[in-house]
Amino acid sequence: MIERLAETIRTAASKGEALYVRGGDTKRFYGHAVEAQPLDVRSYSGVVDYEPSELVITVRAGTPLEEVERTLAERNQMLAFEPPRFAPGGTIGGAVASGLSGPRRQAVGAVRDFVLGVRMLDGRGNDLRFGGRVMKNVAGYDVSRLMAGALGTLGVLTEISLKVLPRPAAEATLRFEMPEAVAIQTINTWLARPLPISASAWQDGELLVRLSGARVAVESACARLGGERVDDAEDYWRSVRDHTAAFFRTDEPLWRVSVPSTAKPLELPGAQFIEWGGALRWLVTEADARTVRAAAEARGGHATLFRGGDGQTPVFHPLPPVAMDIHRRLKREFDPHGILNPGRMYKEL
Amino acid sequence: MDRVNTQSLTKSTGATLPGIDPDRQIDVVSRLRERLPAEAVLYRPEDTRPYECDGLSAYRELPLAVVLPANEEEVAFVLRTCHEMMVPVIARGAGTGLSGGALPAPDSVLLSLAKMNRILAVDPVARIARVQPGVRNAAISDAAKPYGLYYAPDPSSQIACTIGGNVAENSGGVHCLKYGLTVHNVLRVRGYTMAGDLIEFGSEALDSPGYDLLACVIGSEGMLAVVTEVTVKLIPLPETAKVILASFDDVRKASDAVAAIIAEGIIPAGLEMMDQPATRAVEDFVHAGYDLDAAAILLCESDGTPEEVEDEIVRMEAVLRREGATNLRVSRDESERIRFWAGRKAAFPAVGRISPDYYCMDGTIPRKRLGEVLLFIAEMERKYGLRCPNVFHAGDGNLHPLILFDANDPDQLHRTEAFAAEVLQKCIEVGGTITGEHGVGVEKLNQMCLQFSSEELERFHGVKRAFDPQGLLNPLKNIPTLHRCAEFGRMHVHNGQLPHPELPRF
């Protein structure tokens, strides 16, 4: 199967024909459209190795995310970075290539923090392995983490080893009423204390905080923080993670603004949904790209036109020239014929 | 501006140091002194000698010059000048690295970041610290302590090693199973490319646009950029911590107990193993109170709120008993906890006391293969006639076997190298890696040829070219040339499988 994928890449490379690398295609909206022949990795599917006591799972890239999560849940473990599932049928390869993480990211880290190793095909069709199946590995450059979030522009992921974590023994969600600036200040103050906060969400004057961990730790944190206990909050956090919450179901442009967690309010028109202790600010706004990006930059962050772009406005925040030069050279090294998802991230790549 | 005294330069180098071209040295030093004060550009052998090696002292090389810039402008100037003159540059922090990452290249400039040692800001609400590269690892936690925060990665050299070096090596420590490595705890690195261009990797937000160059630079052994500022994540100090000291009469049982703890859904803050030769060496030295009759001991730490710790300690004790622990002791107070750890943290110096020299390995293996690998090491002890105590970051599979030898005996040195090479090859065969946290440097270049195929090595060289097209920054470390691998002439062991795995090999 890998040989078939490699052959397709080699043929495309020899003709200089671009490929649209895809899994379940549930994130087609993310990034710029790629007009090219699809290279579907879904047929390369299945768990290669899973050893719960090692906290490591190795899976083929085309494996449905649902299957990976079910396999882990049977052993009371999870993908702690909570990859979003925007539609059914997404693959683990797509989850890693997109580099997106869910609500728990603020506490445990992003998808890149859990990638231990990859097997991949580069733009010449070479079958390569980087990293491995162990937690600590500093042999060579960290190419496997470089693949997380590269949107398939540097190579086609075929197998991925991920660190997994035990599911928390207990969870609870608390609700508080507070305006934006107060909520940002408050959640950051709480995060500086040894409390088991695993997610936070603010919208329209309401702050929700999720606590995860040992039952005793969760209960004592609830007692210390006060607020109002929200029952059956699992559905709520799922709707935040998968963007099924009403806020995200919009036809207007949706911006993903990533800033330092303590950054002051964006003060842009439109509606806002704040996650990650203030570090992730979703914005539905009519404001133009320049205004949104300037506000993000002024606060030390960047802005992505996550959904609803016009096809012309760059989706990803422009890079400084020195960084773009390195990006261009990396692309040339891994995909010299420029055939893998060209233009999906930046038109230069 | 202080000019180089050409005469004394020639006198001090030409005759005694055949490796260094005195004319080249004069040119380089003169150019660097155009913008750097004289005392920040060292070239006399008595001044450059302390920089000829790092913690891996078997390899030594004098640089053309040592520069000690005091700020970013000076770093940029040094890099631009060397780039223009095609002089290799080697960045150095405290020089505590164990793989020769800061070893000077021939005819190179050694760039010490020791003067850039200020903590620029600690923000207790955003939970970050912005520091210069020469700040010591432990100094960050000291500065954060008044706010109830600390910087989690704690390599055993943390009182001396610098954050710049930690970034270069992606340093770990004894708590990384729960709290991660340097790559998980650094948000942003500011630095310069070899061409002298300013660049930022990552940001103080949780992610950045484009490729994850931050992950690429961390652990790159100073080959992609020179670090001039680092923003680290600070996390709340746990309210309390306790450690269990567990004895086992068999190394395999101890290793099974580690797996059983994790299978129970517990991620201990620390999970360390030492075998009997290691505990005996340590006990003589620091009197940590270890059980000397045990074939292996485990240190299992729990941290968090008092309720959490109580709960986790009870659960871990139950697992350890079930797995056949012959003796269990829980630290009664903070001083006892520190004493239990003191032995583990003193393992390297303790071993240094019982042997003229020791060689520390750093392979990582899937934990379930531990028993097999330890048996293999015991076999190698017999084969090469050398002793090898083991300390082990059991939680994350990172082994530190310490081969004891006497460097004055060339045959022992030779046997040590052969012993280490076999162990590293074994690590690859069982699906692990040749280095978990100490880096490849110059030390494990040959073993890289075993772990990676030539296409994979070629992509690594491609990453290097993308950042440093001229190949001037810390050249010839970390990634072997294909030519070197061909000379080394050994097989690439692919993902734990030798070619023809059906054939017996001895």
Side-chain angles (χ1 to χ4, degrees), chain B residues 310-347:
Chain B
E310 217 42 64
D311 180 67
E312 204 167 87
I313 290 284
V314 169
R315 288 166 66 204
M316 288 202 290
E317 279 185 303
V319 175
L320 292 164
R321 262 195 212 101
R322 197 176 70 215
E323 297 295 321
T326 52
N327 189 23
L328 288 181
R329 286 161 66 195
V330 181
S331 59
R332 281 163 299 189
D333 50 34
E334 190 58 12
S335 73
E336 191 168 59
R337 187 184 76 87
I338 289 166
R339 192 159 61 88
F340 284 175
W341 273 114
R344 169 61 188 88
K345 292 202 170 180

Side-chain angles (χ1 to χ4, degrees), chain B residues 312-428:
Chain B
E312 204 167 87
I313 290 284
V314 169
R315 288 166 66 204
M316 288 202 290
E317 279 185 303
V319 175
L320 292 164
R321 262 195 212 101
R322 197 176 70 215
E323 297 295 321
T326 52
N327 189 23
L328 288 181
R329 286 161 66 195
V330 181
S331 59
R332 281 163 299 189
D333 50 34
E334 190 58 12
S335 73
E336 191 168 59
R337 187 184 76 87
I338 289 166
R339 192 159 61 88
F340 284 175
W341 273 114
R344 169 61 188 88
K345 292 202 170 180
F348 291 7
V351 163
R353 281 175 78 242
I354 60 168
S355 171
D357 300 280
Y358 66 89
Y359 183 88
C360 175
M361 280 173 278
D362 177 42
T364 303
I365 56 167
R367 247 183 290 101
K368 62 182 168 186
R369 309 295 290 270
L370 177 66
E372 178 188 342
V373 172
L374 290 179
L375 282 177
F376 179 82
I377 291 173
E379 206 177 293
M380 293 301 104
E381 285 187 289
R382 284 189 294 275
K383 177 172 171 183
Y384 291 103
L386 295 166
R387 287 183 300 152
C388 183
N390 284 287
V391 297
F392 181 40
H393 299 302
D396 42 40
N398 188 201
L399 286 168
H400 292 316
L402 301 156
I403 305 173
L404 311 185
F405 72 106
D406 181 351
N408 290 323
D409 176 349
D411 185 56
Q412 280 199 32
L413 179 62
H414 178 72
R415 277 183 280 145
T416 300
E417 283 173 346
F419 186 151
E422 289 210 44
V423 172
L424 292 182
Q425 173 151 352
K426 183 74 182 172
C427 290
I428 302 172

Side-chain angles (χ1 to χ4, degrees), chain B residues 392-475:
Chain B
F392 181 40
H393 299 302
D396 42 40
N398 188 201
L399 286 168
H400 292 316
L402 301 156
I403 305 173
L404 311 185
F405 72 106
D406 181 351
N408 290 323
D409 176 349
D411 185 56
Q412 280 199 32
L413 179 62
H414 178 72
R415 277 183 280 145
T416 300
E417 283 173 346
F419 186 151
E422 289 210 44
V423 172
L424 292 182
Q425 173 151 352
K426 183 74 182 172
C427 290
I428 302 172
E429 282 173 29
V430 301
T433 177
I434 56 171
T435 177
E437 57 183 356
H438 296 171
V440 173
V442 290
E443 186 201 19
K444 305 178 197 83
L445 280 169
N446 286 343
Q447 282 71 35
M448 285 291 282
C449 308
L450 302 178
Q451 190 165 334
F452 295 99
S453 70
S454 47
E455 288 84 11
E456 288 155 358
L457 293 172
E458 194 38 50
R459 290 298 84 72
F460 283 144
H461 288 301
V463 171
K464 169 72 172 160
R465 282 191 293 270
F467 284 79
D468 172 21
Q470 272 79 35
L472 290 171
L473 197 55
N474 210 9

Side-chain angles (χ1 to χ4, degrees), chain A residues 13-58:
Chain A
S14 70
K15 297 183 190 160
E17 285 173 3
L19 294 170
Y20 171 60
V21 187
R22 55 158 287 184
D25 217 16
T26 58
K27 292 180 271 285
R28 177 185 275 274
F29 65 87
Y30 187 54
H32 296 280
V34 179
E35 302 301 333
Q37 187 200 332
L39 178 70
D40 190 336
V41 299
R42 278 179 301 176
S43 49
Y44 194 59
S45 169
V47 174
V48 178
D49 189 28
Y50 173 38
E51 194 70 47
S53 74
E54 303 270 340
L55 300 174
V56 176
I57 190 167
T58 302

Side-chain angles (χ1 to χ4, degrees), chain A residues 27-296:
Chain A
K27 292 180 271 285
R28 177 185 275 274
F29 65 87
Y30 187 54
H32 296 280
V34 179
E35 302 301 333
Q37 187 200 332
L39 178 70
D40 190 336
V41 299
R42 278 179 301 176
S43 49
Y44 194 59
S45 169
V47 174
V48 178
D49 189 28
Y50 173 38
E51 194 70 47
S53 74
E54 303 270 340
L55 300 174
V56 176
I57 190 167
T58 302
V59 283
R60 299 196 178 104
T63 314
L65 203 45
E66 287 97 337
E67 184 183 329
V68 178
E69 299 204 278
R70 200 171 49 238
T71 304
L72 296 173
E74 281 165 12
R75 306 303 296 266
N76 205 28
Q77 295 185 335
M78 62 176 182
L79 294 173
F81 54 94
E82 294 187 328
R85 299 149 303 191
F86 299 121
T91 62
I92 191 71
V96 172
S98 70
L100 297 169
S101 307
R104 205 180 296 272
R105 189 266 176 264
Q106 70 175 82
V108 298
V111 51
R112 57 88 91 168
D113 294 302
F114 289 86
V115 172
L116 299 177
V118 299
R119 183 174 177 186
M120 58 177 271
L121 296 162
D122 68 7
R124 300 174 180 84
N126 287 319
D127 182 6
L128 310 170
R129 293 168 198 256
F130 297 103
R133 278 181 277 176
V134 291
M135 302 289 163
K136 283 163 96 177
N137 185 356
V138 292
Y141 303 118
D142 201 341
V143 172
S144 43
R145 285 201 168 88
L146 185 61
M147 295 302 138
L151 289 172
T153 60
L154 295 176
V156 179
L157 297 174
T158 55
E159 288 175 18
I160 300 154
S161 294
L162 293 162
K163 179 179 177 179
V164 298
L165 286 180
R167 287 154 75 95
E171 294 204 316
T173 296
L174 302 173
R175 185 182 157 279
F176 305 85
E177 272 181 38
M178 48 182 85
E180 182 185 1
V182 178
I184 291 169
Q185 176 71 28
T186 305
I187 186 72
N188 276 285
T189 310
W190 288 343
L191 287 168
R193 286 161 48 188
L195 296 164
I197 295 172
S198 69
S200 66
W202 179 92
Q203 188 191 6
D204 292 336
E206 225 174 51
L207 174 68
L208 274 82
V209 176
R210 182 177 68 184
L211 302 151
S212 307
R215 188 160 302 279
V216 282
V218 169
E219 287 310 320
S220 86
C222 284
R224 282 156 84 171
L225 291 176
E228 177 197 335
R229 200 73 174 245
V230 181
D231 294 326
D232 303 319
E234 257 183 55
D235 287 344
Y236 172 77
W237 293 110
R238 199 175 300 123
S239 77
V240 176
R241 172 180 174 182
D242 298 339
H243 283 196
T244 53
F247 173 87
F248 298 101
R249 303 172 72 113
T250 170
D251 295 326
E252 286 176 66
L254 172 67
W255 286 88
R256 179 188 185 279
V257 183
S258 175
V259 289
S261 64
T262 50
K264 63 183 195 316
L266 293 172
E267 285 165 350
L268 292 170
Q272 231 193 145
F273 191 98
I274 303 179
E275 286 189 77
W276 297 0
L280 182 60
R281 304 188 189 181
W282 298 98
L283 183 67
V284 175
T285 185
E286 297 276 281
D288 64 14
R290 188 190 307 228
T291 308
V292 178
R293 294 207 151 113

